[in-house]
Amino acid sequence: MIEVRGLSKTFGATKAVDNLTFNVKPGMVTGFLGPNGAGKSTTMRMILGLDRPTAGTALIDGKPYGDLVQPLRTVGALLDAKWVHPNRSARAHLQWMAASNSLPKSRVDEVLHLVGLTEVAGKKAGGFSLGMSQRLGLAATLLGDPKVLLFDEPVNGLDPEGIVWIRKFMQRLAAEGRTVLVSSHLLSEMALTAEHLVVIGRGRLIADTTVSEFVSKS
Ligand code: ADP
Ligand code: ADP
């Protein structure tokens, strides 16, 4: 469960996030919908302790990110594919992450299998397509077997097969009882992916409802 309470972030004169309050519940995909610049990434970064709120709080299973004892065992985040080191293999990326976060080495081959990268695990990530890089990012988010998962525009730029694959993967994670928050600027994409919708514009909450309610009222 993610609880966002009165969350705000101001950059100079810009109110990037403006007094947002919503919950993200386990067992379903929650879509975080809004146009580019609406404040989705900033909100996710505050949930993950990467940006400091100007006001308000964001809790993951009742605690701020900074108070989680083993964060990667609680929350996984796929923010963008830019973190990939081109000269390292897929397996090396995950081994490094596992080692630096006290996660078991055995988990590396498990997550490679989960995302379908076993056969290319020894290849340099620099040669990966965007779709493969996203799978590697997904493997990284799954290393700690977290109950809470955040995905920031995960299907941007992917080919249709990659989009469907990521979408089904996120739905499976939710069906396992995990808490899944996924952002997008496209209602059409969210309508196919999510059950619940949190809609924002200019940093403010516009709707917090089911996808079917939102679509029938729009
Ligand atoms: P979204 O993810 O919905 O596209 P963002 O959270 O990236 O929106 O951005 C929300 C607003 O905050 C935008 O106006 C953006 O330009 C601004 N913003 C985001 N990060 C920064 C930053 N580090 N410095 C200044 N402005 C920022
Ligand atoms: P690097 O030092 O290589 O830049 P990062 O700290 O950016 O590594 O993290 C690498 C990857 O780890 C991210 O792209 C994301 O997939 C995952 N990650 C980042 N933050 C978190 C988090 N809070 N919880 C789980 N996984 C995370």
Side-chain angles (χ1 to χ4, degrees), residues 19 22 25 58 90-91 99 102 131-132 134-135 147 150 180-181 201:
N19 196 24
F22 62 88
K25 294 186 183 143
R91 184 178 279 113
S102 318
M132 286 160 79
Q134 279 296 68
R135 287 182 190 224
K147 282 176 293 175
L150 286 83
V180 178
L181 180 65

mmCIF file of all heavy atoms in Angstrom, residues 19 22 25 58 90-91 99 102 131-132 134-135 147 150 180-181 201:
data_model
loop_
_atom_site.group_PDB
_atom_site.id
_atom_site.type_symbol
_atom_site.label_atom_id
_atom_site.label_comp_id
_atom_site.label_asym_id
_atom_site.label_seq_id
_atom_site.Cartn_x
_atom_site.Cartn_y
_atom_site.Cartn_z
ATOM 1 N N ASN A 19 -0.502 19.514 -3.402
ATOM 2 C CA ASN A 19 -1.433 19.010 -2.391
ATOM 3 C C ASN A 19 -2.164 17.727 -2.815
ATOM 4 O O ASN A 19 -3.382 17.628 -2.719
ATOM 5 C CB ASN A 19 -2.434 20.125 -2.041
ATOM 6 C CG ASN A 19 -3.185 19.824 -0.750
ATOM 7 O OD1 ASN A 19 -2.692 19.064 0.090
ATOM 8 N ND2 ASN A 19 -4.354 20.398 -0.601
ATOM 9 N N PHE A 22 -3.816 10.547 -2.200
ATOM 10 C CA PHE A 22 -4.459 9.349 -2.759
ATOM 11 C C PHE A 22 -3.786 8.110 -2.174
ATOM 12 O O PHE A 22 -2.703 8.194 -1.599
ATOM 13 C CB PHE A 22 -4.377 9.327 -4.301
ATOM 14 C CG PHE A 22 -2.988 9.293 -4.880
ATOM 15 C CD1 PHE A 22 -2.327 8.094 -5.114
ATOM 16 C CD2 PHE A 22 -2.319 10.473 -5.215
ATOM 17 C CE1 PHE A 22 -1.048 8.061 -5.654
ATOM 18 C CE2 PHE A 22 -1.037 10.450 -5.754
ATOM 19 C CZ PHE A 22 -0.410 9.239 -5.979
ATOM 20 N N LYS A 25 -3.655 0.770 -3.680
ATOM 21 C CA LYS A 25 -3.937 -0.461 -2.936
ATOM 22 C C LYS A 25 -3.344 -1.688 -3.611
ATOM 23 O O LYS A 25 -3.151 -1.699 -4.825
ATOM 24 C CB LYS A 25 -5.458 -0.625 -2.820
ATOM 25 C CG LYS A 25 -6.070 0.467 -1.975
ATOM 26 C CD LYS A 25 -7.549 0.236 -1.740
ATOM 27 C CE LYS A 25 -8.119 1.405 -0.937
ATOM 28 N NZ LYS A 25 -9.466 1.747 -1.352
ATOM 29 N N ALA A 58 4.603 10.823 1.957
ATOM 30 C CA ALA A 58 4.294 9.630 1.163
ATOM 31 C C ALA A 58 4.786 8.433 1.965
ATOM 32 O O ALA A 58 5.951 8.409 2.377
ATOM 33 C CB ALA A 58 4.999 9.699 -0.182
ATOM 34 N N ALA A 90 24.007 -8.087 -18.809
ATOM 35 C CA ALA A 90 22.757 -8.035 -18.038
ATOM 36 C C ALA A 90 22.976 -8.680 -16.668
ATOM 37 O O ALA A 90 22.590 -8.127 -15.629
ATOM 38 C CB ALA A 90 21.647 -8.755 -18.797
ATOM 39 N N ARG A 91 23.644 -9.861 -16.679
ATOM 40 C CA ARG A 91 23.852 -10.571 -15.413
ATOM 41 C C ARG A 91 24.736 -9.763 -14.465
ATOM 42 O O ARG A 91 24.459 -9.692 -13.258
ATOM 43 C CB ARG A 91 24.463 -11.956 -15.660
ATOM 44 C CG ARG A 91 24.615 -12.759 -14.384
ATOM 45 C CD ARG A 91 25.165 -14.159 -14.604
ATOM 46 N NE ARG A 91 24.141 -15.100 -15.026
ATOM 47 C CZ ARG A 91 24.091 -15.674 -16.219
ATOM 48 N NH1 ARG A 91 25.017 -15.409 -17.131
ATOM 49 N NH2 ARG A 91 23.142 -16.515 -16.511
ATOM 50 N N ALA A 99 24.623 -7.679 -4.871
ATOM 51 C CA ALA A 99 25.723 -7.617 -3.905
ATOM 52 C C ALA A 99 25.665 -6.324 -3.100
ATOM 53 O O ALA A 99 25.859 -6.332 -1.876
ATOM 54 C CB ALA A 99 27.058 -7.731 -4.634
ATOM 55 N N SER A 102 22.769 -6.494 -0.359
ATOM 56 C CA SER A 102 22.676 -7.703 0.489
ATOM 57 C C SER A 102 21.507 -8.611 0.087
ATOM 58 O O SER A 102 20.797 -9.124 0.951
ATOM 59 C CB SER A 102 22.520 -7.345 1.969
ATOM 60 O OG SER A 102 23.362 -6.299 2.313
ATOM 61 N N GLY A 131 13.345 -2.445 -25.648
ATOM 62 C CA GLY A 131 12.495 -3.454 -25.000
ATOM 63 C C GLY A 131 13.295 -4.348 -24.072
ATOM 64 O O GLY A 131 12.869 -4.659 -22.946
ATOM 65 N N MET A 132 14.489 -4.753 -24.530
ATOM 66 C CA MET A 132 15.338 -5.599 -23.677
ATOM 67 C C MET A 132 15.860 -4.814 -22.478
ATOM 68 O O MET A 132 15.973 -5.353 -21.372
ATOM 69 C CB MET A 132 16.489 -6.183 -24.489
ATOM 70 C CG MET A 132 16.045 -7.303 -25.423
ATOM 71 S SD MET A 132 17.258 -7.562 -26.726
ATOM 72 C CE MET A 132 18.493 -8.500 -25.857
ATOM 73 N N GLN A 134 14.313 -2.419 -21.006
ATOM 74 C CA GLN A 134 13.200 -2.320 -20.059
ATOM 75 C C GLN A 134 13.054 -3.619 -19.272
ATOM 76 O O GLN A 134 12.767 -3.606 -18.081
ATOM 77 C CB GLN A 134 11.878 -1.999 -20.776
ATOM 78 C CG GLN A 134 11.682 -0.536 -21.121
ATOM 79 C CD GLN A 134 11.599 0.358 -19.904
ATOM 80 O OE1 GLN A 134 12.586 0.529 -19.193
ATOM 81 N NE2 GLN A 134 10.446 0.941 -19.649
ATOM 82 N N ARG A 135 13.261 -4.757 -19.956
ATOM 83 C CA ARG A 135 13.187 -6.041 -19.241
ATOM 84 C C ARG A 135 14.289 -6.138 -18.195
ATOM 85 O O ARG A 135 14.080 -6.663 -17.096
ATOM 86 C CB ARG A 135 13.319 -7.208 -20.214
ATOM 87 C CG ARG A 135 12.096 -7.414 -21.068
ATOM 88 C CD ARG A 135 12.300 -8.619 -21.959
ATOM 89 N NE ARG A 135 11.248 -8.714 -22.954
ATOM 90 C CZ ARG A 135 10.626 -9.840 -23.279
ATOM 91 N NH1 ARG A 135 10.964 -10.982 -22.715
ATOM 92 N NH2 ARG A 135 9.691 -9.838 -24.190
ATOM 93 N N LYS A 147 6.934 -5.944 -2.586
ATOM 94 C CA LYS A 147 5.458 -6.003 -2.595
ATOM 95 C C LYS A 147 4.863 -4.777 -3.273
ATOM 96 O O LYS A 147 3.693 -4.757 -3.625
ATOM 97 C CB LYS A 147 4.932 -6.029 -1.151
ATOM 98 C CG LYS A 147 5.038 -7.384 -0.491
ATOM 99 C CD LYS A 147 4.581 -7.288 0.958
ATOM 100 C CE LYS A 147 5.555 -6.441 1.769
ATOM 101 N NZ LYS A 147 5.128 -6.197 3.158
ATOM 102 N N LEU A 150 6.662 0.543 -8.641
ATOM 103 C CA LEU A 150 6.341 1.777 -9.355
ATOM 104 C C LEU A 150 6.971 1.740 -10.736
ATOM 105 O O LEU A 150 8.158 1.400 -10.868
ATOM 106 C CB LEU A 150 6.885 3.001 -8.604
ATOM 107 C CG LEU A 150 6.137 3.426 -7.338
ATOM 108 C CD1 LEU A 150 6.592 2.613 -6.157
ATOM 109 C CD2 LEU A 150 6.366 4.900 -7.074
ATOM 110 N N VAL A 180 0.789 -1.987 -7.378
ATOM 111 C CA VAL A 180 1.430 -1.580 -8.626
ATOM 112 C C VAL A 180 0.898 -0.207 -9.052
ATOM 113 O O VAL A 180 -0.301 -0.042 -9.274
ATOM 114 C CB VAL A 180 1.159 -2.608 -9.754
ATOM 115 C CG1 VAL A 180 1.794 -2.151 -11.066
ATOM 116 C CG2 VAL A 180 1.688 -3.988 -9.365
ATOM 117 N N LEU A 181 1.813 0.763 -9.163
ATOM 118 C CA LEU A 181 1.466 2.106 -9.657
ATOM 119 C C LEU A 181 2.223 2.342 -10.959
ATOM 120 O O LEU A 181 3.452 2.232 -10.990
ATOM 121 C CB LEU A 181 1.847 3.175 -8.624
ATOM 122 C CG LEU A 181 1.532 4.629 -9.011
ATOM 123 C CD1 LEU A 181 0.027 4.861 -9.124
ATOM 124 C CD2 LEU A 181 2.119 5.605 -7.983
ATOM 125 N N GLY A 201 -3.456 16.773 -13.109
ATOM 126 C CA GLY A 201 -3.158 17.813 -14.094
ATOM 127 C C GLY A 201 -2.566 18.988 -13.348
ATOM 128 O O GLY A 201 -3.055 19.358 -12.280
#
